[in-house]
Amino acid sequence: MAEDTQRNFRSVYYEKVGFRGVEEKKSLEILLKDDPLDIEKLCTFSQRFPLPSMYRGFVWKVLLGILPPHHESHAQVMMCRKEQYTDVLHALKVIRFVSDSTPQVDVYLRMYQLESGKLPRSPFFPLEPEDEVFLAIAKAMEEMVEDNVDCYWLIRCFVNQLNNKFRDSLPQLPKAFEQYLNLEDSRLLNHMKTCSVVTKLPYDLWFQKCFAGCLPESSLQRVWDKVISGSCKILVFVAVEILLTFKIKVMALNNAEKITKFLENIPQDSSDAIVSKAIDLWHKHCGTPVHSM
Amino acid sequence: MAQQANISELLSMLDSSALGVLDDITTVFKENLNSDRGPMLVNTLVDYYLETNSQQVLRILTTLQEPHDKTDTDVVILTTGVLVLITMLPMIPQSGKQYLHDFFDIFGRLSSWCLKNPGHVTEIYLVHLHASVYALFHRLYGMYPCNFVSFLRSHYSMKENLETFEEVVKPMMEHVRIHPELVTGSKDHELDPRRWKRLETHDVVIECAKISLDPTEASYEDGYSVSQQISARVDTQNSYGNATSTPYSTPRLALLNTPGQLPQVLSSTTRLSTEPSQATIWSPSAVCGMTTPPTSPGNVPPELSHPYSKVFGTSAGGKGTPLGTPATSPPPPCHSDDYVHISPPQAIVMPPKKEDRLDSVRPCLHRQHHLSNDRGLEETSDSKGSVTLRDLPRFLVDLDSEEDSVEKDKEEAAISKELSEITTADAEPVVPRGGFDSPFYRDSLPCSQRKSHSTSSNTQGPSVSTEPLTSSVDKLGPDTPKQAFTPIDRPCGCASESPAGNRENQTSLETNIFTPSPKIPSQRKVGFGSGQSPPYDHLFEVALPKTAYHFVSKKTEELLKKVKGNTEEDYMPSTSPVEVLDRLIQQGADAHTKELNKLSLPSKSVDWTHFGGSPPSDEIHTLRNQLLLLHNQLLYERFKRQQHALRNRRLLRKVIKATALEEHNAAMKDQLKLQEKDIQMWKASMRKEQARYKQLQEERETVVTQLHSQIRQLQHDREEFYNQSQELQTKLEDCRNMIADLRLELKKANNKVCHRELLLSQVSQKLSNSESVQQQMEFLNRQLLVLGEVNELYLEQLQNKHADTTQEVEMMKASYRKELEKNRSHLLQQNQRLDTSQKRILELESHLAKKDHLLLEQKKYLEDVKLQARGQLQAVESRYEAQKRIAQAFELEILDLYGRLEKDGLLKKLEEKTEAAEAAEERLDCCNEGCPDSLVGHNEEAAGRNGETKTPKSGSSRGSSGSRGGGGSSSSSSELSTPEKPPNQRVGPFSSRWETTLEPSTSIPVTVGSLPSSKSFLAIKARELFRNKSESQCDEDGLTNNSLSETLKTELYKDPSTEAKAPLGLDNPHPSPKNQESVGQLHIMDYNEIQHEPS
């Protein structure tokens, strides 16, 4: 109790002044002190609050299952992961799929392919669409994480989560997108319908690649916080928010192709605001996630 | 005559088209006219104009200078001119106005002429002239009253004209009313063309006639111009044919002063006052209707004359007129009879006669002969038409009828009676004023002298004429009151006509002679006439409403006149020039007939020359002129008649229309009556319905009130019932409450009863108990008694055996004491034991609790560890998976390479390949076979994969220790070899395993660390357990690890961590069995210990 009061006497003012994250960081630290780690609580926290960047990698790894909840086995498990990484990399080198000159992203892709048993017979075979998705995500992730092993594992598990956990919900997202856009701005939606651009929107970019390559990484990782913590619906709201932000431009454009093109290459400067608004919007429509336990 | 021829030449040249010639001739004419004062040239010009209608001549004539147009003093011409002017005036009201003053001048001049007679013409001519001036006066006054009056005013204000005014104009003015225009109009207004535009010629004539009071001139609106009709008839008697058709011969009626239509009574009264002279007016010809001129056929039924004549008769009898003919005598009745007989044939005869007359006149008026011819034709045709026309009104009048007539007649009769009385009273002869202008003036004087006679005769008249009276009464039927006068009338009329009386008689006789037809019986004629009198009378009745007023006023006026009657002046002006002329003609005609009678009949004209030598040319001339004048007069009158005919036709149309409308009105009235009847009927029925409705309403109301009262009663009842029910309900409530109370009480009572019963049962039980106790008591008492007895018995025995027992008892007591002490020590012992055992139980229970707690802790920890292990395992597993993939990839690569080699097709390579294949096979065999026995090979293989672990494994002394390398995490075996169990090599790995798990647990002071004693306890137990087991294993030392592992494997299948199952059986049999074994051991240990602990 004493500790609590000491910690919280400013907390009333933080929110008012506009500081966010001070409280969160502390509470996250408390959460991370637990042994074993409470995955559920971490998920809830990650959904409610932005993750401090210093803990982001760790939390992601825990949430994605790269690290087990028990602190004591972290080192051992990490060792194991690293060994696996080296083994796979070695194997690829042996079979000459990769070389030292191969870009890191491709290396990740090959490794992932190898591990999932989808390695093509020749490195020169054309890439599948899912590989493109992987590459996009890998590129974004590479920017965020420095360590190769961590990076590979994060990419791998992220993609796996997309492919397994969100396999059913991802195709529903375009519909949800239309629905929420209608609620927010039906005029815009009507305009888009009249332009018949609704079906041609960059859904792959938005929902398959999770905006990788669309938003700058600094903003993107905030979105991925939510995705990794188990909510792919945030993607819909980001998309909606993008449209709302660039509404005037979209309204001005009448051609479906132009709209799509514009949306695929939106300006990067307002992305932070977009993400913040999208998260607010998401909270507004889906409610603030509460720890269910 | 030469000049005459010259003139005719000139005249013919006048029409030449050459302008120069025209001017010359015109100037010649004008010069001529200026130079020559004789009328010759002018006359010729006029003649020429009349023949050729030459405009030039007209121009010349219109520019005639003074001498020509005024110098003419020929009365004939003057009269003709005046008449023409009079005739023209109504035709040119508008265009004539510029010559208005000329007209007035003409009038002024002629009127003075009449008086002064500058031309010294015969008085007979003057009469004619005077009549025409009189007509002119009427016309001018009728058409331009304001202008004319102002002219009169200015003209006669001059002294020299005063006489003329007094003598000529003033009497004329007595015959006119005040013209309405004098009041409403002005000089300019009279000349306004708009005034004349809507009037036709005959309208103008009638307008003029309206303002006239002279019956001959006067016209009464609505066409009751009776007088003319009558006069016409009278004329037929008096004159030959020429007079028959002319209306101007009716001076008798001149005094019908009333402006409107006068009823006969009125006229009679006026008659009375004015003119008795020609009361003999009644004419059968009128009855026949043959002679009546076409004028006013619709308006005046001929019967009108009849009453008039009677009335005249009376008036004549009552009064002396200035003209009053010597009322000497002829017996009146016969005269009247004569009339009756004579007139009809006269009428029939007349037309041819007239024709003759016209022929005789013709030489005088050469140029007018065709005109007269036309007139004649017209006349005949008109007369024919008049008959039919006249029939119509008569018919109409018949239709409408006599309803009022009787009444009226009676009234009139009364009045006339009164009048007759008055007249008789006033019958004094009036001195005729006479001396107007007319030649009759002189005649009138003798008349006046005779007047006294006539009056006296008249006064006697009624008595005398009773017979005819009665006869007439018979004839006339309903008209009795009027007829009362008739006898008076006729004789008087005859008497008044006395101067001409003889002649009259003669004429009538003559006419009798002349008539080709036999005499018509007078009775019949009269009957005829009188038979038709009622409808005629009725005609007056129609007019009566209008004339009622006049009647009264006239009456009073007349009475006034009577009062003033003595003054002659009143009567004097009543003689109009026309009348005078009329009379003149009459007389002239009489004279003429007389003359003719004297002569032989066949040819009169011849007679004069033939018989009486040359007739005095002067007289012939005079006669001719007179004839001419008469002819002129006739033409004028014809013109008037024509105008009247026109008007009458129009009026007739109006009458027809009016009657039609009246009929229509009557029909409408009938309809109206019918409808009113209907309405009344409906009203009645409505009233009935209303009454019924009221009745019904009342009934309904009564019913309603009844129902209301019923309702009220019922409501009242209902309320009562309601109250009752309320009361009952309250009662019911009370009852319920009571019942509830009672039930409660009942319950209570029941409870009480139950309680009582219970008590009762208890009591009964107690009783039974007590009873049993009593029984027992009794039994015990009995026993006591028995025992008492026994005691007594024993006491007796005791007393008997007294000494022996004491010792025995003491010994027994001692033994008892000892026994008691023994038992007491025993009890103590027992108690102590119990205490100890209880303590022991408590101790053990606490122990047990601790054990449970520990167990829970252990379980928790175990779960935790399991989770941790699972996490690690997953990582490892993924790694393994990756390895597998890698291997697959490698294999794929190898196979690929082989494929490529084969493709190269080199034998060498083939051999190498076989070797390589063998080597590969060997390796595979090693993998498969080397698993159970050769751990090294396996290790080597593993080292191939994981080089790092190779070195520590090689460093390890035994294969079993090498197997630890498979665990991966427990890398250093040196560390694991704990100092506690150096001897137990076999158990080492297990224990080490155990300890490695325990080591972190010790380092983390979580669960187990808190209970060191229990840990030690457990550890000891575990060690004991494991020791036993290891000992047993040591016994079976010969057995391989495999067997052990196999035995353990079965247990492992039950292990919840089934994930490790697959890798166990297949690829990694060596390291994992150990591992699993340890786990399995732990598992067993746990449960075993738990199970063993309490024992």
Side-chain angles (χ1 to χ4, degrees):
Chain A
M1 274 305 274
E3 208 183 354
D4 262 7
T5 48
Q6 211 176 15
R7 186 162 59 85
N8 279 336
F9 81 96
R10 291 182 211 86
S11 63
V12 190
Y13 309 104
Y14 287 152
E15 290 285 319
K16 286 191 178 174
V17 180
F19 295 150
R20 294 169 79 179
V22 181
E23 272 311 281
E24 284 91 60
K25 191 177 170 189
K26 289 218 166 161
S27 50
L28 179 63
E29 278 168 356
I30 290 164
L31 276 178
L32 291 178
K33 269 182 194 165
D34 280 349
D35 186 48
L37 296 165
D38 193 332
I39 309 287
E40 287 283 343
K41 277 185 182 171
L42 276 176
C43 274
T44 312
F45 180 87
S46 170
Q47 292 198 356
R48 288 182 70 169
F49 310 109
L51 288 175
S53 53
M54 62 181 294
Y55 294 113
R56 175 169 285 127
F58 181 71
V59 173
W60 280 13
K61 278 195 269 186
V62 171
L63 291 179
L64 287 173
I66 299 163
L67 284 177
H70 292 271
H71 286 284
E72 60 193 79
S73 52
H74 281 180
Q76 192 191 344
V77 169
M78 242 5 257
M79 181 79 81
C80 193
R81 302 296 189 203
K82 196 179 176 186
E83 280 171 8
Q84 189 177 337
Y85 174 79
T86 48
D87 286 349
V88 175
L89 187 63
H90 175 74
L92 282 172
K93 279 181 180 168
V94 168
I95 58 171
R96 295 176 204 166
F97 247 89
V98 296
S99 64
D100 290 337
S101 63
T102 314
Q104 196 60 39
V105 185
D106 283 350
V107 175
Y108 294 145
L109 175 64
R110 296 304 172 193
M111 286 171 76
Y112 179 71
Q113 281 179 337
L114 178 67
E115 281 206 71
S116 55
K118 291 168 187 168
L119 194 68
R121 291 299 303 278
S122 159
F124 307 107
F125 280 12
L127 292 173
E128 299 284 318
E130 54 179 28
D131 297 334
E132 297 283 354
V133 172
F134 185 89
L135 280 179
I137 291 169
K139 255 179 211 165
M141 197 65 91
E142 198 185 10
E143 296 291 319
M144 295 181 217
V145 187
E146 290 182 3
D147 185 36
N148 283 344
V149 181
D150 283 351
C151 182
Y152 169 68
W153 275 101
L154 283 173
I155 294 163
R156 178 180 182 270
C157 290
F158 186 74
V159 171
N160 274 339
Q161 192 177 28
L162 289 184
N163 288 342
N164 299 324
K165 197 177 175 183
F166 298 147
R167 190 174 49 207
D168 294 332
S169 47
L170 279 180
Q172 312 292 330
L173 294 184
K175 274 188 188 172
F177 164 73
E178 271 184 51
Q179 178 196 339
Y180 287 116
L181 186 60
N182 189 33
L183 283 178
E184 287 298 318
D185 196 336
S186 55
R187 210 161 68 86
L188 181 62
L189 181 67
N190 286 335
H191 170 74
M192 288 167 67
K193 276 183 177 168
T194 51
C195 294
S196 66
V197 78
V198 181
T199 50
K200 295 172 186 169
L201 289 172
Y203 291 127
D204 281 350
L205 175 68
W206 291 348
F207 304 139
Q208 299 289 333
K209 297 180 182 174
C210 298
F211 296 97
C214 180
L215 295 173
E217 281 68 29
S218 57
S219 316
L220 188 63
Q221 51 194 1
R222 287 168 64 199
V223 178
W224 283 8
D225 281 347
K226 316 296 176 192
V227 177
I228 286 168
S229 60
S231 167
C232 59
K233 243 184 179 176
I234 183 68
L235 299 172
V236 172
F237 291 98
V238 175
V240 169
E241 195 53 47
I242 286 172
L243 278 173
L244 291 177
T245 308
F246 300 109
K247 174 185 171 182
I248 299 163
K249 275 217 163 166
V250 172
M251 291 293 273
L253 296 172
N254 287 326
N255 193 346
E257 285 176 23
K258 278 183 190 170
I259 291 171
T260 314
K261 214 172 189 180
F262 169 76
L263 289 175
E264 278 169 355
N265 302 298
I266 55 166
Q268 308 272 304
D269 46 4
S270 57
S271 57
D272 245 342
I274 289 173
V275 172
S276 301
K277 280 187 197 165
I279 289 164
D280 288 342
L281 203 64
W282 173 55
H283 285 169
K284 184 180 127 196
H285 282 290
C286 299
T288 318
V290 187
H291 188 35
S292 54
M293 300 296 277
Chain B
M1 272 286 102
Q3 199 185 6
Q4 187 84 26
N6 201 9
I7 286 168
S8 61
E9 263 178 47
L10 282 172
L11 280 174
S12 62
M13 282 170 71
L14 199 60
D15 279 333
S16 74
S17 53
L19 274 174
V21 177
L22 197 72
D23 285 342
D24 288 346
I25 291 170
T26 313
T27 47
V28 167
F29 268 112
K30 280 182 179 169
E31 278 168 17
N32 251 325
L33 282 168
N34 285 335
S35 62
D36 185 10
R37 292 215 152 209
M40 181 65 165
L41 180 57
V42 180
N43 286 341
T44 320
L45 278 172
V46 171
D47 285 347
Y48 182 78
Y49 170 68
L50 288 174
E51 276 175 358
T52 61
N53 261 341
S54 164
Q55 292 297 313
Q56 299 301 326
V57 178
L58 185 64
R59 208 170 291 161
I60 294 164
L61 280 173
T62 47
T63 53
L64 273 182
Q65 294 300 311
E66 181 81 358
H68 291 283
D69 57 348
K70 296 214 171 144
T71 48
D72 199 342
T73 55
D74 186 359
V75 176
V76 179
I77 291 164
L78 277 175
T79 311
T80 310
V82 169
L83 286 178
V84 166
L85 180 63
I86 293 166
T87 313
M88 292 289 279
L89 265 178
M91 293 175 187
I92 46 156
Q94 187 52 34
S95 49
K97 77 181 176 188
Q98 48 192 327
Y99 307 110
L100 204 58
H101 284 280
D102 294 338
F103 298 152
F104 293 157
D105 277 343
I106 290 166
F107 171 77
R109 213 173 285 272
L110 286 179
S111 53
S112 63
W113 222 81
C114 282
L115 188 68
K116 292 165 186 169
N117 197 1
H120 306 288
V121 205
T122 3
E123 282 188 353
I124 291 167
Y125 296 162
L126 272 183
V127 171
H128 283 281
L129 183 65
H130 191 226
S132 50
V133 168
Y134 177 71
L136 179 64
F137 170 80
H138 271 293
R139 184 60 28 96
L140 287 174
Y141 180 69
M143 284 177 74
Y144 313 101
C146 291
N147 286 297
F148 186 57
V149 166
S150 73
F151 160 77
L152 289 178
R153 208 176 286 147
S154 62
H155 188 73
Y156 292 105
S157 59
M158 291 181 281
K159 273 221 165 170
E160 65 264 23
N161 293 330
L162 197 64
E163 197 192 355
T164 318
F165 178 71
E166 282 293 327
E167 293 298 326
V168 181
V169 182
K170 206 175 166 190
M172 282 180 186
M173 285 169 72
E174 279 169 10
H175 292 289
V176 291
R177 294 187 287 146
I178 287 185
H179 201 292
E181 286 288 325
L182 285 173
V183 180
T184 60
S186 66
K187 278 186 182 179
D188 295 334
H189 180 250
E190 277 171 10
L191 305 178
D192 189 2
R194 271 176 296 172
R195 187 186 166 207
W196 302 112
K197 232 171 217 175
R198 55 193 173 78
L199 294 177
E200 288 176 38
T201 311
H202 62 90
D203 285 325
V204 178
V205 171
I206 293 299
E207 281 291 313
C208 296
K210 261 186 201 169
I211 51 112
S212 169
L213 294 175
D214 191 337
T216 53
E217 288 283 345
S219 158
Y220 305 105
E221 200 44 59
D222 300 335
Y224 293 109
S225 55
V226 189
S227 55
Q228 299 191 356
Q229 184 79 34
I230 296 159
S231 67
R233 259 173 270 136
V234 174
D235 287 338
T236 52
Q237 304 165 1
N238 294 339
S239 60
Y240 297 110
N242 64 344
T244 50
S245 59
T246 50
Y248 63 77
S249 61
T250 58
R252 294 151 287 132
L253 293 179
L255 288 185
L256 287 175
N257 290 327
T258 46
Q261 165 65 45
L262 287 173
Q264 63 266 44
V265 181
L266 268 184
S267 60
S268 73
T269 53
T270 48
R271 266 291 149 155
L272 271 172
S273 60
T274 56
E275 193 213 5
S277 63
Q278 295 195 338
T280 61
I281 318 151
W282 182 83
S283 104
S285 69
V287 178
C288 292
M290 301 300 272
T291 56
T292 43
T295 55
S296 70
N299 298 333
V300 190
E303 286 75 19
L304 193 63
S305 63
H306 190 74
Y308 266 118
S309 60
K310 300 168 206 163
V311 174
F312 294 160
T314 52
S315 67
K319 286 263 165 165
T321 47
L323 287 176
T325 46
T328 42
S329 65
C334 54
H335 271 294
S336 70
D337 278 345
D338 278 348
Y339 286 134
V340 171
H341 293 298
I342 294 159
S343 42
Q346 233 180 355
I348 296 158
V349 175
M350 266 187 298
K353 258 191 178 176
K354 190 184 163 193
E355 282 294 309
D356 291 343
R357 289 301 289 184
L358 281 171
D359 283 337
S360 65
V361 170
R362 204 172 291 161
C364 297
L365 290 167
H366 299 286
R367 287 161 195 134
Q368 287 183 347
H369 78 276
H370 60 279
L371 255 177
S372 59
N373 253 342
D374 288 343
R375 283 283 173 92
L377 287 171
E378 265 178 39
E379 214 169 46
T380 49
S381 63
D382 278 351
S383 67
K384 280 175 191 171
S386 72
V387 176
T388 52
L389 276 172
R390 197 183 48 188
D391 281 342
L392 181 62
R394 201 183 292 167
F395 180 69
L396 283 172
V397 174
D398 279 336
L399 281 177
D400 275 332
S401 239
E402 326 186 10
E403 296 159 322
D404 299 333
S405 64
V406 180
E407 252 181 51
K408 278 289 165 190
D409 289 345
K410 278 175 184 174
E411 197 183 327
E412 286 161 4
I415 292 161
S416 50
K417 259 183 186 172
E418 195 183 32
L419 282 175
S420 64
E421 283 168 19
I422 293 164
T423 48
T424 46
D426 282 349
E428 278 306 301
V430 183
V431 182
R433 191 189 147 256
F436 287 0
D437 51 328
S438 66
F440 287 91
Y441 180 56
R442 287 152 217 160
D443 290 342
S444 65
L445 277 174
C447 285
S448 63
Q449 287 167 359
R450 288 176 213 138
K451 194 148 275 181
S452 56
H453 301 285
S454 67
T455 46
S456 62
S457 69
N458 283 337
T459 46
Q460 292 163 353
S463 58
V464 177
S465 61
T466 41
E467 194 191 330
L469 187 146
T470 50
S471 70
S472 65
V473 166
D474 292 336
K475 293 163 196 165
L476 294 172
D479 275 359
T480 44
K482 292 168 198 167
Q483 282 161 357
F485 293 97
T486 46
I488 307 165
D489 176 24
R490 284 167 194 162
C492 289
C494 294
S496 65
E497 241 184 317
S498 53
N502 297 327
R503 274 178 280 171
E504 278 275 357
N505 287 332
Q506 286 168 355
T507 329
S508 63
L509 283 171
E510 260 194 302
T511 44
N512 276 336
I513 296 159
F514 280 130
T515 48
S517 61
K519 282 182 184 178
I520 299 160
S522 65
Q523 302 287 343
R524 211 200 77 179
K525 281 287 164 190
V526 173
F528 187 43
S530 62
Q532 288 179 339
S533 65
Y536 151 78
D537 281 340
H538 189 70
L539 193 72
F540 282 120
E541 314 305 345
V542 173
L544 267 178
K546 193 176 174 184
T547 53
Y549 166 73
H550 294 296
F551 170 72
V552 175
S553 61
K554 256 301 144 183
K555 180 91 175 131
T556 49
E557 190 187 327
E558 207 233 331
L559 282 171
L560 281 171
K561 277 180 184 173
K562 294 270 164 66
V563 173
K564 297 176 190 173
N566 300 327
T567 54
E568 286 176 315
E569 303 236 336
D570 287 359
Y571 306 114
M572 281 310 289
S574 60
T575 323
S576 81
V578 181
E579 203 175 325
V580 174
L581 180 66
D582 215 15
R583 226 165 276 159
L584 173 74
I585 291 161
Q586 234 173 342
Q587 283 171 355
D590 289 344
H592 184 67
T593 42
K594 232 181 185 174
E595 288 297 318
L596 282 179
N597 279 337
K598 285 173 188 170
L599 297 175
S600 64
L601 281 173
S603 62
K604 295 166 201 167
S605 56
V606 175
D607 281 342
W608 283 356
T609 49
H610 189 67
F611 281 97
S614 59
S617 62
D618 190 31
E619 198 175 342
I620 284 167
H621 181 70
T622 317
L623 282 173
R624 279 230 178 101
N625 278 345
Q626 216 170 339
L627 206 62
L628 211 64
L629 284 171
L630 279 175
H631 185 70
N632 284 344
Q633 200 77 30
L634 170 72
L635 287 178
Y636 171 60
E637 292 300 338
R638 259 188 210 156
F639 156 74
K640 278 203 324 195
R641 187 205 61 189
Q642 228 170 355
Q643 295 304 324
H644 282 298
L646 274 173
R647 183 172 178 77
N648 286 338
R649 269 179 225 126
R650 209 171 70 175
L651 291 172
L652 174 65
R653 200 167 62 239
K654 276 184 188 169
V655 164
I656 290 166
K657 267 183 196 168
T659 46
L661 281 172
E662 264 171 27
E663 272 176 35
H664 187 63
N665 277 348
M668 296 277 272
K669 268 179 196 165
D670 284 350
Q671 275 187 348
L672 192 70
K673 265 178 201 164
L674 282 174
Q675 279 171 351
E676 267 171 10
K677 260 184 203 167
D678 276 0
I679 286 164
Q680 269 171 351
M681 215 165 70
W682 287 119
K683 272 185 187 163
S685 63
M686 195 182 74
R687 241 171 273 134
K688 254 189 225 166
E689 289 294 322
Q690 272 177 342
R692 220 168 64 185
Y693 173 68
K694 259 183 207 162
Q695 201 180 343
L696 284 172
Q697 228 175 6
E698 277 167 17
E699 279 175 22
R700 195 181 65 86
E701 270 168 20
T702 51
V703 169
V704 166
T705 46
Q706 267 183 357
L707 287 173
H708 271 304
S709 62
Q710 271 186 3
I711 287 165
R712 232 171 283 133
Q713 207 176 349
L714 287 170
Q715 271 179 340
H716 185 66
D717 286 358
R718 193 181 68 92
E719 270 169 30
E720 273 182 12
F721 283 130
Y722 184 68
N723 288 339
Q724 278 182 0
S725 71
Q726 287 259 343
E727 269 177 51
L728 286 172
Q729 268 183 342
T730 49
K731 272 183 193 172
L732 188 68
E733 279 293 314
D734 288 348
C735 286
R736 270 186 198 149
N737 286 342
M738 268 167 64
I739 286 164
D741 287 347
L742 286 173
R743 273 193 192 145
L744 214 68
E745 278 177 35
L746 187 66
K747 256 184 203 168
K748 275 182 194 168
N750 277 341
N751 284 348
K752 272 184 190 171
V753 167
C754 282
H755 190 59
R756 288 291 140 83
E757 273 176 2
L758 201 72
L759 283 177
L760 196 65
S761 63
Q762 279 176 347
V763 166
S764 62
Q765 217 168 4
K766 276 181 188 171
L767 192 68
S768 62
N769 281 354
S770 66
E771 271 175 4
S772 64
V773 165
Q774 264 183 344
Q775 277 177 352
Q776 275 181 346
M777 235 169 64
E778 276 175 22
F779 182 67
L780 285 172
N781 276 340
R782 243 173 264 160
Q783 270 189 339
L784 193 70
L785 271 174
V786 173
L787 283 173
E789 281 176 11
V790 171
N791 197 21
E792 279 183 12
L793 199 69
Y794 280 138
L795 277 174
E796 281 176 8
Q797 282 176 355
L798 267 171
Q799 278 169 356
N800 291 340
K801 302 171 190 177
H802 197 56
D804 301 338
T805 51
T806 50
Q807 205 177 0
E808 209 178 323
V809 167
E810 277 178 11
M811 281 181 67
M812 276 179 73
K813 274 186 182 173
S815 69
Y816 282 146
R817 258 174 230 142
K818 278 182 184 172
E819 209 171 328
L820 194 68
E821 273 175 26
K822 217 182 165 179
N823 279 340
R824 270 178 191 165
S825 65
H826 193 72
L827 185 69
L828 203 69
Q829 248 185 340
Q830 285 283 329
N831 276 339
Q832 281 174 345
R833 254 189 233 165
L834 188 69
D835 283 344
T836 53
S837 65
Q838 272 177 344
K839 273 179 190 169
R840 175 74 184 156
I841 286 166
L842 281 172
E843 201 181 335
L844 285 172
E845 273 178 354
S846 67
H847 231 73
L848 188 65
K850 278 175 193 168
K851 280 276 179 193
D852 281 347
H853 191 68
L854 187 71
L855 199 64
L856 277 175
E857 296 282 327
Q858 288 281 344
K859 268 187 182 172
K860 228 178 186 176
Y861 178 68
L862 195 64
E863 287 295 318
D864 194 26
V865 168
K866 270 198 275 182
L867 266 174
Q868 191 180 352
R870 200 183 299 152
Q872 288 173 350
L873 260 175
Q874 275 173 359
V876 173
E877 205 182 311
S878 80
R879 196 183 155 198
Y880 164 71
E881 198 74 24
Q883 290 288 351
K884 220 165 64 174
R885 295 290 176 197
I886 290 164
Q888 278 180 356
F890 281 153
E891 278 170 20
L892 210 65
E893 187 68 21
I894 290 161
L895 285 172
D896 196 27
L897 289 170
Y898 279 149
R900 253 183 256 168
L901 284 174
E902 276 173 8
K903 273 182 187 172
D904 286 348
L906 294 171
L907 285 172
K908 278 190 226 173
K909 282 178 185 174
L910 199 71
E911 281 170 8
E912 282 176 30
K913 201 175 85 183
T914 49
E915 282 172 12
E918 277 170 355
E921 274 181 18
E922 274 177 11
R923 272 180 68 177
L924 279 171
D925 286 341
C926 285
C927 282
N928 292 330
E929 289 169 292
C931 282
D933 34 26
S934 68
L935 281 166
V936 183
H938 181 77
N939 276 335
E940 276 173 1
E941 203 180 70
R945 280 174 295 180
N946 201 354
E948 301 125 297
T949 50
K950 206 177 174 181
T951 39
K953 217 167 272 180
S954 58
S956 64
S957 55
R958 286 189 188 179
S960 63
S961 70
S963 72
R964 266 179 279 150
S969 62
S970 54
S971 54
S972 61
S973 55
S974 58
E975 283 178 325
L976 288 173
S977 58
T978 49
E980 285 180 24
K981 304 149 215 173
N984 257 342
Q985 290 286 347
R986 292 286 164 84
V987 184
F990 303 111
S991 60
S992 75
R993 182 76 193 152
W994 171 245
E995 273 163 20
T996 48
T997 52
L998 282 180
E999 267 165 12
S1001 67
T1002 48
S1003 67
I1004 303 165
V1006 196
T1007 49
V1008 192
S1010 60
L1011 290 168
S1013 61
S1014 65
K1015 183 201 159 191
S1016 60
F1017 175 76
L1018 275 172
I1020 293 159
K1021 286 284 177 184
R1023 261 169 236 146
E1024 280 175 4
L1025 194 74
F1026 278 113
R1027 207 169 291 147
N1028 295 334
K1029 283 211 171 171
S1030 60
E1031 274 170 12
S1032 66
Q1033 276 186 337
C1034 286
D1035 293 342
E1036 306 165 277
D1037 209 6
L1039 284 172
T1040 57
N1041 279 330
N1042 257 349
S1043 62
L1044 179 67
S1045 71
E1046 291 220 349
T1047 52
L1048 284 170
K1049 227 187 271 180
T1050 51
E1051 286 180 27
L1052 277 168
Y1053 280 107
K1054 295 161 200 170
D1055 197 63
S1057 59
T1058 44
E1059 297 150 316
K1061 196 171 70 181
L1064 259 178
L1066 287 168
D1067 295 323
N1068 209 358
H1070 283 292
S1072 55
K1074 291 284 194 292
N1075 212 351
Q1076 291 301 326
E1077 195 181 21
S1078 68
V1079 174
Q1081 285 298 353
L1082 267 173
H1083 199 81
I1084 292 156
M1085 177 198 75
D1086 282 351
Y1087 289 103
N1088 282 347
E1089 274 189 58
I1090 289 161
Q1091 283 166 354
H1092 282 281
E1093 191 60 34
S1095 56

